Amino acid sequence: MRIYKLIFSVWCLIFLTSPVIGKDKQTIYRQGWIDFNKNGVKDIFEDPANTVEARVADLLSQMTMEEKTCQMATLYGFSRVLEDELPTEAWKDRVWKDGIANIDEHLNTIANRPYTYTEHAYPYSNHAEAINVIQKWFIEETRMGIPVDFSNEGVHGLCHKKATPLPAPIGIGSTWNKELVYQAGQIVGREAKALGYTNIYAPILDLARDPRWGRVVECYSEDPFLIGALGTQMAKGIQSQGVASTIKHFAVYSIPKGARDGEARTDPHVAPREMHQLHLYPFKKVIAEANPMGVMSSYNDYDGVPITGSYYFLTQLLRQQYGFRGYVVSDSDAVEYLNEKHQVAPDYKDAVRQVVEAGLNVRTRFRTPESYIEPLRELIREGRLSMQTIDARVGEVLAVKFRLGLFDQPYVEDCELANKIVHTDADEQFSRQIIRESMVLLKNENNVLPLDIKKFKNVLVAGPMADEVNYTFSRYGPSFNEAVSVYKGIKNYGAGQLNVSYAKGCEVIDESWPESELMDVALTTDEQAGIDAAVEQARQSDIVIAVLGENESMVGESKTRTNLGLPGRQLQLLKALHATGKPVVLVLVNGRALTINWEDKYIPAILEAWFPGASSGDIVAETLFGDYNPGGKLPVTFPKSVGQIPLNFPFKVASHAGQVEIPGNGYGKTRVLGSLYPFGYGLSYTSFEYSDLVVTPDQAYSQADIQVSFKVKNTGQREGDEIVQLYLKDEVSSVTTYESQLRGFERVHLLPGETKTVHFVLHPDDLALLDKDMNWTVEPGSFKVLIGSSSENIKLTGGFVIRRY
């Protein structure tokens, strides 16, 4: 590595002084400003003392059409589109000789994709130095010297080699911990800044309304209020470090018809009121409270109109109503889909015209930027796109670059600092804590958990996910961190006290899958042998810890499922282990809600771990054996059957009700009702008591705040976390509303016997609905306040009245 560093340093020296670069450009760096356009004069846009608006206007006035259009496309980084790790002489013949809006995922290294591996990713200083070299090329070798915005993914930790790992977003949502999520955002932002990235594509604000959908694992919740609260903190945390947060996917992206993804990605069946009150709510809230600098537009349509080609969505809603002040990038293929999939454009070039006029700033796709910029220039020359429109789109991109300080300090100032502040020991401890808080205890019959290490000698850890770690490196997060499987974690935890053995038992999916999602398929000889071997080991053990679920190849983008049971032969394995008579504990490693009915009925203890991150095995072990008391709550509803879908929270009044029993005309008992585990559900190794609810005032006008307070006490023998939840019910309204809506939550840590008072404030927006005319309003009438430990386990009730004027 030292030799590599020496070679790289020499290369940089040669590069920066070679004829490729041309004459010495050091004279452009002046005291307190940079002469980007190299004219020897401090222009308005080069003067940090001027406003962003003035600097943008001045810069636009000096740019050619070619330079402006280059600020409207993404250049995907090394090995995706960009063939070079560092600048070459050939760059002078590419379209980015006139600049580029952003370079995405450059030199970051993506797990399990060897073509992305590069020595410039790690040590961290290598990457900072490489980004400086590239930034230097754009500043010194393009006419206007406009700096590049370096973007990257970061939905569960920065998508970079050995960055700090976080749980998958569904696990982050299970923490219900706003302060923790803000700290997570700070870490992502700090690491990005140190490595040279200036724009992070996170958080995801999509609603996980259909568990069949593959990207549920990347969503915080099915509930808009929980997503909005956590998304606000993540965006604020990222931007507190001086980098942009780009929220995604705008809009109504997560509910394609039948949850079909892949080549479908269209036709969300969502009514207008539901769209605004559920799917758009998190975007509106995060934009208002966190002021993110980026939005990614989705590639689906809404009611026949592609989002990325919609002036209503990208301009009227996003900018005029929500007040968004950043720039919009397209999700991959979103532009092309107007012609290829949605067929609302006769050809690709007209699709380009439509998206620009709608409000798209930057096309982002795994294709060369020329593929977008060239037809864009043709449209301008043909008079089909006005320069006024182009100036508006480019001006919004430039404004973000000014706000990020790229025209004042475009380089990483201290590259070596990255080695000291990226994935520190403190960051690793934080990573472990957020994984701890993501654990959800689903069942604990007769207090099987926590396990007493003194009562067991021989422990079998069984199942296809027991010694697997691929989920710790799933897409859009860090790679190459040292990962600990659940088996290894339990083995390490019990060293010297437990004899821990392992049996895989079966694969995650069987040979006939996905046919086995539809029907029973006979076990093969090898499959039966694998289960038999695990059973034999179980008979020699005192307890079995079965680790089952889904792996990285089954969860994520374009990985929608038809069924929600444990895939493959895992249920047969679990039944066979249970039949031995040995106590069985089930640990789920998965990315979506599952229909685990048999498991819930017969297995006494179930721990939901989701996709928890690199140290997952250690955390699961300490949770099972009681060093940590799980306190997470479900951010999604677990249905009993796929046939119940959609089954989620919030839901309209009576929409989840049973069927009427009419003697002589059927009995109504033809359908499974209710959830397996409701939204907000989660158990603990201790118990909690709620008391003393106070709601003030009990009558108020529509613009008043309502104060809510109550007490919660730990009545058990262990310290633990209780996630208290406030739900609000509008008792009579002009339009049908939801049975109740989440409007407050707090994660409270309590010692045994300790009592704390919790305070919530209900603001007018928390009471608002869309009336018959689709106007947001707070209607007079009675509201019920419900305090509980889940959406169904309500402990305290109160209320207030909104008076007429």
Side-chain angles (χ1 to χ4, degrees):
M1 187 56 66
R2 289 179 180 175
I3 294 174
Y4 166 78
K5 292 272 286 183
L6 178 61
I7 293 172
F8 178 71
S9 298
V10 172
W11 187 95
C12 288
L13 180 63
I14 295 172
F15 173 80
L16 296 175
T17 58
S18 70
V20 174
I21 298 303
K23 65 180 181 178
D24 181 17
K25 299 296 194 309
Q26 294 305 311
T27 56
I28 72 171
Y29 301 100
R30 308 297 182 88
Q31 183 66 38
W33 64 284
I34 300 173
D35 188 10
F36 290 100
N37 62 4
K38 308 158 192 71
N39 65 355
V41 176
K42 183 191 283 189
D43 293 277
I44 293 173
F45 84 90
E46 294 167 341
D47 187 351
N50 289 315
T51 65
V52 168
E53 292 75 14
R55 298 176 81 179
V56 168
D58 181 55
L59 179 52
L60 278 172
S61 72
Q62 298 187 41
M63 294 171 67
T64 65
M65 182 268 285
E66 288 76 16
E67 289 163 340
K68 290 174 181 178
T69 52
C70 279
Q71 296 298 316
M72 298 177 70
T74 292
L75 172 59
Y76 260 103
F78 170 66
S79 79
R80 271 77 96 199
V81 170
L82 191 55
E83 299 172 355
D84 311 303
E85 295 176 274
L86 295 170
T88 69
E89 187 172 2
W91 284 24
K92 281 292 189 177
D93 298 320
R94 299 303 298 267
V95 72
W96 54 86
K97 69 181 185 300
D98 292 318
I100 201 73
N102 58 359
I103 299 179
D104 191 31
E105 292 197 83
H106 190 51
L107 304 174
N108 59 347
T109 293
I110 299 174
N112 304 317
R113 300 190 184 188
Y115 57 88
T116 69
Y117 297 175
T118 169
E119 293 294 333
H120 292 292
Y122 185 84
Y124 307 121
S125 56
N126 288 4
H127 190 268
E129 290 167 357
I131 292 298
N132 276 354
V133 169
I134 296 160
Q135 189 73 282
K136 189 178 181 70
W137 188 91
F138 278 93
I139 289 171
E140 297 184 358
E141 297 305 313
T142 64
R143 187 183 76 92
M144 293 303 297
I146 298 172
V148 173
D149 186 14
F150 288 96
S151 55
N152 194 10
E153 301 284 353
V155 300
H156 61 105
L158 187 68
C159 187
H160 190 95
K161 184 175 181 178
K162 292 184 178 293
T164 301
L166 302 175
I170 191 73
I172 295 174
S174 297
T175 70
W176 294 60
N177 190 328
K178 296 184 286 290
E179 292 76 15
L180 207 67
V181 174
Y182 178 79
Q183 291 172 356
Q186 286 182 307
I187 290 173
V188 172
R190 166 168 44 82
E191 294 185 344
K193 183 80 169 179
L195 288 160
Y197 300 112
T198 52
N199 193 328
I200 300 303
Y201 292 166
I204 290 177
L205 302 180
D206 304 317
L207 271 66
R209 300 295 282 181
D210 191 330
R212 296 170 296 179
W213 190 55
R215 302 193 81 169
V216 165
V217 69
E218 298 172 11
C219 302
Y220 289 143
S221 176
E222 67 189 19
D223 179 79
F225 186 86
L226 181 55
I227 296 171
L230 299 184
T232 295
Q233 296 307 313
M234 179 62 74
K236 282 184 174 181
I238 290 171
Q239 295 200 158
S240 72
Q241 304 302 301
V243 300
S245 165
T246 291
I247 58 178
K248 56 184 186 176
H249 306 86
F250 186 80
V252 205
Y253 167 72
S254 60
I255 190 98
K257 184 179 180 182
R260 283 179 280 272
D261 201 355
E263 294 303 313
R265 298 174 167 176
T266 57
D267 202 17
H269 282 201
V270 177
R273 186 171 277 102
E274 179 181 349
M275 176 183 73
H276 286 281
Q277 293 186 156
L278 298 186
H279 292 271
L280 295 178
Y281 178 95
F283 290 93
K284 183 179 180 181
K285 183 179 181 66
V286 173
I287 289 169
E289 297 188 8
N291 196 20
M293 294 189 227
V295 164
M296 180 180 289
S297 67
S298 55
Y299 40 57
N300 57 284
D301 67 325
Y302 175 72
D303 196 23
V305 180
I307 298 295
T308 300
S310 169
Y311 182 81
Y312 171 72
F313 278 97
L314 298 193
T315 299
Q316 290 180 311
L317 265 185
L318 199 56
R319 295 191 182 279
Q320 295 173 6
Q321 292 190 32
Y322 295 173
F324 174 64
R325 298 193 300 113
Y327 73 85
V328 180
V329 298
S330 66
D331 202 352
S332 191
D333 292 316
V335 176
E336 288 75 8
Y337 277 177
L338 265 70
N339 166 241
E340 297 172 2
K341 190 178 297 295
H342 302 297
Q343 298 178 11
V344 300
D347 52 40
Y348 170 61
K349 191 160 78 171
D350 194 66
V352 173
R353 178 192 63 79
Q354 289 189 36
V355 300
V356 172
E357 290 187 338
L360 182 71
N361 298 100
V362 175
R363 193 287 298 266
T364 302
R365 194 195 175 191
F366 296 99
R367 289 182 59 188
T368 63
E370 287 94 337
S371 65
Y372 182 75
I373 291 171
E374 289 172 359
L376 184 57
R377 290 173 177 175
E378 290 177 13
L379 288 163
I380 295 169
R381 294 187 185 105
E382 293 166 1
R384 295 171 63 189
L385 269 177
S386 73
M387 285 308 300
Q388 183 179 13
T389 299
I390 298 299
D391 284 354
R393 301 294 170 266
V394 175
E396 288 156 351
V397 176
L398 297 175
V400 169
K401 293 187 176 186
F402 279 112
R403 288 169 61 192
L404 287 172
L406 290 176
F407 285 87
D408 305 322
Q409 178 46 264
Y411 303 114
V412 179
E413 295 184 71
D414 184 352
C415 295
E416 290 295 329
L417 181 63
N419 296 327
K420 301 175 183 178
I421 67 171
V422 176
H423 201 162
T424 64
D425 290 342
D427 294 335
E428 180 60 26
Q429 292 308 309
F430 175 88
S431 173
R432 289 171 174 262
Q433 183 60 25
I434 195 170
I435 292 172
R436 289 186 187 101
E437 296 198 20
S438 72
M439 298 284 148
V440 184
L441 185 60
L442 297 180
K443 186 180 179 184
N444 195 22
E445 191 175 85
N446 297 321
N447 294 319
V448 169
L449 297 177
L451 301 174
D452 186 344
I453 199 169
K454 298 176 182 178
K455 292 184 179 180
F456 303 101
K457 181 175 179 61
N458 300 303
V459 177
L460 173 64
V461 185
M465 297 305 293
D467 201 26
E468 182 59 76
V469 295
N470 62 12
Y471 57 86
T472 68
F473 303 125
S474 57
R475 183 70 173 99
Y476 304 126
S479 60
F480 284 95
N481 284 305
E482 184 177 349
V484 181
S485 69
V486 174
Y487 161 60
K488 296 286 179 22
I490 293 173
K491 189 176 179 67
N492 294 339
Y493 184 90
Q497 299 182 75
L498 299 174
N499 296 322
V500 181
S501 59
Y502 161 70
K504 189 172 189 177
C506 66
E507 300 295 334
V508 172
I509 57 174
D510 59 284
E511 293 181 6
S512 64
W513 196 84
E515 184 182 26
S516 58
E517 294 266 77
L518 305 175
M519 65 187 77
D520 289 331
V521 178
L523 290 165
T524 67
T525 302
D526 288 344
E527 288 171 342
Q528 186 64 63
I531 292 176
D532 290 344
V535 166
E536 183 57 33
Q537 284 186 252
R539 292 195 178 107
Q540 308 305 315
S541 303
D542 301 317
I543 189 170
V544 178
I545 298 172
V547 190
L548 309 177
E550 302 170 306
N551 61 17
E552 194 271 338
S553 66
M554 294 188 63
V555 177
E557 190 169 6
S558 299
K559 296 172 184 176
T560 288
R561 288 187 61 188
T562 307
N563 208 324
L564 291 175
L566 286 172
R569 308 304 192 184
Q570 294 183 79
L571 184 54
Q572 287 102 314
L573 171 64
L574 186 62
K575 287 181 176 180
L577 294 170
H578 176 263
T580 64
K582 301 290 184 177
V584 178
V585 172
L586 174 58
V587 176
L588 291 173
V589 176
N590 52 297
R592 52 166 64 86
L594 299 175
T595 52
I596 50 170
N597 298 288
W598 187 93
E599 299 88 328
D600 177 71
K601 185 172 183 177
Y602 293 104
I603 303 301
I606 304 174
L607 180 68
E608 175 60 82
W610 301 114
F611 277 12
S615 58
S616 58
D618 295 333
I619 305 305
V620 168
E622 65 181 43
T623 303
L624 292 176
F625 285 93
D627 287 2
Y628 179 72
N629 182 359
K633 301 281 189 177
L634 290 180
V636 293
T637 302
F638 274 50
K640 295 174 181 175
S641 167
V642 171
Q644 293 177 288
I645 296 172
L647 183 82
N648 38 41
F649 183 91
F651 54 89
K652 290 291 182 68
V653 172
S655 64
H656 287 184
Q659 299 177 117
V660 178
E661 297 183 27
I662 305 175
N665 190 31
Y667 292 95
K669 296 180 179 178
T670 58
R671 185 177 181 88
V672 172
L673 300 171
S675 63
L676 184 61
Y677 308 116
F679 173 78
Y681 170 85
L683 303 176
S684 171
Y685 295 156
T686 189
S687 57
F688 302 96
E689 179 181 272
Y690 292 67
S691 65
D692 300 330
L693 174 64
V694 178
V695 180
T696 56
D698 58 2
Q699 293 192 29
Y701 290 110
S702 62
Q703 297 309 300
D705 285 343
I706 305 296
Q707 307 290 328
V708 178
S709 68
F710 58 94
K711 293 178 181 178
V712 58
K713 180 180 180 180
N714 183 344
T715 55
Q717 302 303 309
R718 290 175 175 268
E719 65 179 290
D721 294 351
E722 174 67 330
I723 297 171
V724 297
Q725 300 156 48
L726 184 157
Y727 296 91
L728 189 66
K729 178 178 176 59
D730 190 345
E731 298 202 72
V732 179
S733 52
S734 62
V735 295
T736 302
T737 56
Y738 297 97
E739 185 66 39
S740 67
Q741 292 179 275
L742 180 69
R743 284 298 180 260
F745 63 89
E746 200 70 44
R747 186 164 185 141
V748 183
H749 185 78
L750 293 165
L751 300 174
E754 184 179 12
T755 299
K756 288 184 179 178
T757 299
V758 180
H759 298 272
F760 290 120
V761 180
L762 291 170
H763 303 294
D765 285 351
D766 295 321
L767 281 57
L769 56 73
L770 281 170
D771 65 16
K772 291 180 179 179
D773 299 318
M774 295 297 286
N775 294 315
W776 286 102
T777 185
V778 178
E779 295 184 340
S782 298
F783 290 80
K784 184 178 289 186
V785 173
L786 308 141
I787 304 296
S789 62
S790 81
S791 59
E792 293 185 3
N793 189 7
I794 301 302
K795 307 287 189 178
L796 305 170
T797 60
F800 59 92
V801 174
I802 295 299
R803 301 171 61 181
R804 296 184 182 276
Y805 287 106

